Amino acid sequence: MISSRLKFINLLVILVFFAKESIQNQDGLSELLRREHTLIKPYGGSSAGVPFWDFIGSTIVSNKFVRLTSDSQSLQGALWNTLPVEFTDWEIQFQFNVHGHGKDLFGDGFAMWYTKEKNILGPVFGNKDYFTGLAVFLDTYANYNGPNNHVHPYVSAMINNGSLHYDHDKDGINTALGGCEASFRNKDYDTFLAVRYQNYKLTVSTDVDNKNAWKECFSIDNIKLPTKYYIGFSAATGDLSDNHDVISVKFYKLESPRKNEQIDHSLIEPSSASFPEQKDLVDEQKPSTFWRIIKIMFISIFVIGLVLAVLYFGYTFYEKQRRTKKRFY
């Protein structure tokens, strides 16, 4: 009897919460929180899993957070929604916490995904490379110190049709659509990020300054994403580490200005009209094989010549000293 009452009270709390979350956004478009793509406390799960969500790798679930990785080396963890998104226009708002003992060295960061594939661990912040869909990266460690590098932590996005490689050594700047610096690590207050996709426009906003207000990170038009992809979160640590926690995920179905389009939105190929940052990227030019050989030969000849010169002058000095000594006998 007591157990039934507790379950009934818990259900009432959840219903009240979702009733409050059915709101009107600043553009006057109807927003509706969708339970099947949402993750809130209490998670209602056990060691067997969380309703509507899979967790793999190093991910653990507590009553306060879903930890993708702990502050230990060489971990990969992920959290994936089990149901594909059926809506053309949507917004995802998630609360997270990245923290650890490292003061100067820490990493690597985590990512939010909207992709065709799910539940596959890999080298891109714990997820597979050559993915199909959208990735939003929250990168905490700068691997690249060349042209167009950024201060970290850094938030960026990438669209992929399965053919592009994420270059971790260059922090992905050669495939980034846009980005911004965002100081979200080791905060003693709540940190949030919002990813909004509406009318082929992608907007990423942050709330990491304890101001309870969204700050636009970047906004890009002419982004094409299909329906029936999966929402996920993943993180990874290497030689450096951090705790990467997801606190909550809220998915809103947005009213679609393109609801009368006579196309199958599930067949759209992920794409963007341009890669703004890629145009400015200047790679370090590597010399051709011929010139590398010439350079090696020149250095070798120089070193050999230098050694012969030292031997010659050494021998000449020795002979001169020997003849000088003979004159005194």
Side-chain angles (χ1 to χ4, degrees):
M1 179 67 72
I2 296 177
S3 177
S4 299
R5 289 179 180 177
L6 288 176
K7 288 181 179 179
F8 178 72
I9 293 172
N10 190 39
L11 178 61
L12 284 179
V13 171
I14 293 174
L15 288 174
V16 170
F17 174 83
F18 281 105
K20 288 183 178 179
E21 290 294 337
S22 294
I23 61 174
Q24 196 79 10
N25 74 358
Q26 62 183 4
D27 298 321
L29 299 177
S30 174
E31 289 186 345
L32 179 66
L33 192 73
R34 302 295 302 193
R35 178 67 183 95
E36 67 270 27
H37 304 304
T38 292
L39 178 72
I40 56 171
K41 295 182 288 186
Y43 303 122
S46 63
S47 58
V50 176
F52 303 115
W53 296 87
D54 289 332
F55 52 93
I56 59 174
S58 59
T59 303
I60 59 173
V61 181
S62 76
N63 59 354
K64 295 182 179 179
F65 52 76
V66 177
R67 177 157 292 170
L68 304 177
T69 73
S70 59
D71 193 357
S72 301
Q73 294 178 329
S74 304
L75 296 177
Q76 293 180 342
L79 173 73
W80 284 95
N81 195 206
T82 58
L83 299 177
V85 174
E86 301 287 348
F87 315 111
T88 58
D89 297 71
W90 43 262
E91 180 168 333
I92 299 170
Q93 298 178 8
F94 60 93
Q95 181 184 350
F96 63 95
N97 187 15
V98 178
H99 58 104
H101 69 276
K103 294 183 178 180
D104 299 314
L105 296 175
F106 42 82
D108 288 323
F110 76 107
M112 190 216 85
W113 304 91
Y114 177 71
T115 58
K116 181 179 181 180
E117 313 87 358
K118 68 184 181 78
N119 289 344
I120 305 175
L121 295 174
V124 184
F125 296 95
N127 193 40
K128 73 182 295 289
D129 201 358
Y130 297 99
F131 59 91
T132 305
L134 166 70
V136 178
F137 304 117
L138 292 88
D139 194 349
T140 55
Y141 182 75
N143 294 287
Y144 181 57
N145 294 317
N148 292 21
N149 64 325
H150 306 290
V151 174
H152 283 61
Y154 192 77
V155 178
S156 64
M158 176 180 174
I159 297 289
N160 200 347
N161 61 5
S163 66
L164 297 177
H165 162 63
Y166 177 82
D167 192 341
H168 200 75
D169 291 336
K170 289 188 176 179
D171 297 323
I173 63 174
N174 54 329
T175 49
L177 293 172
C180 68
E181 299 169 10
S183 180
F184 56 75
R185 184 181 179 272
N186 269 356
K187 300 300 182 183
D188 57 2
Y189 50 81
D190 296 338
T191 50
F192 302 84
L193 191 136
V195 180
R196 186 184 186 92
Y197 180 63
Q198 187 174 43
N199 200 23
Y200 298 112
K201 182 177 183 178
L202 178 69
T203 303
V204 174
S205 303
T206 62
D207 179 6
V208 297
D209 300 320
N210 201 26
K211 295 181 178 180
N212 195 29
W214 292 115
K215 177 182 179 182
E216 184 175 299
C217 177
F218 60 87
S219 185
I220 303 171
D221 292 311
N222 300 316
I223 300 294
K224 293 184 178 181
L225 291 171
T227 57
K228 300 187 182 300
Y229 277 20
Y230 295 91
I231 303 164
F233 299 84
S234 69
T237 63
D239 293 333
L240 304 178
S241 63
D242 252 341
N243 297 300
H244 299 96
D245 300 341
V246 175
I247 312 300
S248 67
V249 181
K250 298 176 183 178
F251 180 95
Y252 299 95
K253 173 191 174 184
L254 302 181
E255 183 177 323
S256 177
R258 52 194 175 104
K259 57 187 176 183
N260 295 323
E261 290 180 335
Q262 300 300 314
I263 61 174
D264 187 345
H265 292 93
S266 67
L267 299 180
I268 293 175
E269 180 177 291
S271 65
S272 63
S274 62
F275 291 87
E277 295 192 25
Q278 191 173 14
K279 295 178 181 179
D280 298 328
L281 180 63
V282 179
D283 275 333
E284 301 170 3
Q285 294 187 357
K286 297 180 180 180
S288 66
T289 303
F290 172 77
W291 287 110
R292 287 204 301 270
I293 294 173
I294 294 296
K295 184 178 179 180
I296 293 172
M297 289 178 60
F298 176 79
I299 293 174
S300 300
I301 292 171
F302 175 79
V303 171
I304 293 172
L306 183 62
V307 171
L308 291 175
V310 170
L311 291 174
Y312 171 77
F313 286 109
Y315 179 77
T316 302
F317 178 77
Y318 170 76
E319 284 295 314
K320 183 178 180 181
Q321 290 294 103
R322 190 169 63 84
R323 288 195 297 269
T324 301
K325 289 181 179 179
K326 282 185 177 181
R327 287 200 294 265
F328 289 99
Y329 290 102

